[in-house]
């Protein structure tokens, strides 16, 4: 038994668009597939959650136990990767105590804010990271394990910590392998 959907099964899931050489684990949870577009050479591993407006480019690996909550939109560009247990939020509740929290309450009792999360080309996010709404992780950056990204990150940097801070520049040598 194959643990990934066949190409025909993927088409039947009803994605907005889907490219070639896409592997999606049968153990992944996909909500609102009609709002999700997937490029070529994409792999989504076991126990991932994809929900909302999500655009995945090509050459992307989403490791096990990742969660992408795309109520306000999530964009992953080409050659990006999410290591296990990374969570991306494009919307968040107000935890100030002035509003109720969660999707079970009427809209007038909650306050949800957010915006599109954009992860540009050649970005890798380490294991156990949390990414907040309404920000960009710019081209070529790496986010270290268990970091919290709560603001946009500049290109070609290595970021770690809570909150994530730049610790050094990242080499661009990987670009030699791209033939586009």
């Amino acid at each position: 038994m194959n643990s990934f959907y066949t190409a025909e099964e993927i088409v039947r899931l009803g994605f907005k668009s889907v490219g070639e050489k896409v592997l999606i684990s049968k153990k992944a949870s996909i909500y609102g597939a009609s709002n999700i577009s997937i490029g070529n050479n994409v792999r989504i591993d076991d126990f991932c959650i994809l929900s909302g407006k999500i655009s995945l480019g090509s050459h992307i690996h989403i490791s096990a136990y990742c969660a992408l909550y795309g109520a306000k939109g999530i964009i992953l560009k080409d050659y990006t990767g999410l290591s296990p247990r990374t969570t991306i939020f494009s919307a968040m509740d107000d935890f100030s105590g002035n509003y109720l929290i969660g999707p079970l309450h009427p809209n007038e009792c909650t306050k949800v804010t957010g915006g599109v999360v954009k992860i540009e080309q050649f970005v890798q996010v380490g294991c156990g990271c949390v990414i907040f709404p309404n920000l960009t992780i710019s081209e070529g950056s790496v986010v270290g394990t268990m970091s919290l990204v709560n603001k946009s990150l500049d290109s070609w940097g290595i970021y770690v910590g809570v909150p994530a801070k730049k610790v050094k520049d990242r080499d661009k040598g990987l670009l030699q392998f791209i033939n586009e």
Side-chain angles (χ1 to χ4, degrees), residues 57-124:
S58 296
H59 308 283
I60 292 174
H61 179 216
I62 300 175
S63 299
Y65 294 99
C66 288
L68 283 68
Y69 299 111
K72 304 281 184 182
I74 296 172
I75 301 167
L76 274 72
K77 298 284 186 149
D78 297 348
Y79 300 99
T80 57
L82 303 178
S83 296
R85 298 191 185 280
T86 291
T87 303
I88 302 174
F89 296 97
S90 67
M92 283 190 147
D93 287 289
D94 182 321
F95 289 87
S96 67
N98 295 314
Y99 302 93
L100 294 174
I101 298 169
L104 303 177
H105 309 294
N107 287 342
E108 60 272 10
C109 300
T110 64
K111 183 178 179 187
V112 177
T113 59
V116 174
V117 174
K118 186 175 180 183
I119 299 180
E120 295 185 344
Q121 289 190 118
F122 312 114
V123 168
Q124 182 67 42

Side-chain angles (χ1 to χ4, degrees), residues 154-160 164-170:
D154 293 332
S155 61
W156 296 99
I158 298 174
Y159 294 84
V160 298
K165 291 185 178 9
K166 186 174 181 180
V167 294
K168 66 182 194 174
D169 291 330
R170 184 177 184 214

